[in-house]
Amino acid sequence: MNSINENVKVIDTKDNKSHTLQELMIIEAIKKVQNPFINLTVQDIAKDLKIGENMAYTIFKREDFPSVNIGRCWKISLISYLLWKTQKRI
């Protein structure tokens, strides 16, 4: 459990001097979310991306998409989804 994932970038929200504009925009957007740890479903993602559920299931199965499979349900936390979405759009 103590292993460090090299793909994860830690952003210090207290040090505003070393942030890029992109990081500052992400921090401000996350601050406005009421509950960033709420879990979203495949249907929620499909509605947000304006795609069908079959395409959403394909996205959930991608390696770079930070989702988990709980039983027969795919879930992703809102904060993980927002970070993934902003990284993919830039």
Side-chain angles (χ1 to χ4, degrees):
M1 286 292 240
N2 291 337
S3 64
I4 298 173
N5 187 349
E6 294 178 13
N7 296 332
V8 176
K9 181 178 179 184
V10 178
I11 300 173
D12 182 10
T13 58
K14 296 187 177 158
D15 181 20
N16 289 335
K17 296 174 186 167
S18 65
H19 293 309
T20 64
L21 179 60
Q22 175 188 357
E23 291 172 342
L24 289 172
M25 289 172 51
I26 291 171
I27 291 168
E28 288 303 314
I30 291 172
K31 285 180 183 178
K32 293 179 182 179
V33 176
Q34 279 185 330
N35 185 2
F37 299 105
I38 190 169
N39 287 324
L40 302 175
T41 63
V42 174
Q43 293 79 14
D44 297 330
I45 301 304
K47 183 187 279 187
D48 182 60
L49 295 176
K50 296 177 179 59
I51 58 174
E53 282 188 33
N54 290 337
M55 182 58 76
Y57 275 108
T58 304
I59 291 172
F60 268 78
K61 293 177 184 176
R62 289 174 46 165
E63 288 290 323
D64 65 334
F65 194 71
S67 63
V68 294
N69 186 2
I70 303 172
R72 295 177 62 181
C73 299
W74 287 92
K75 303 281 185 177
I76 183 170
S77 66
L78 178 60
I79 192 166
S80 297
Y81 173 65
L82 293 175
L83 290 172
W84 176 84
K85 189 174 173 181
T86 54
Q87 290 172 353
K88 292 300 170 188
R89 290 190 171 217
I90 293 173

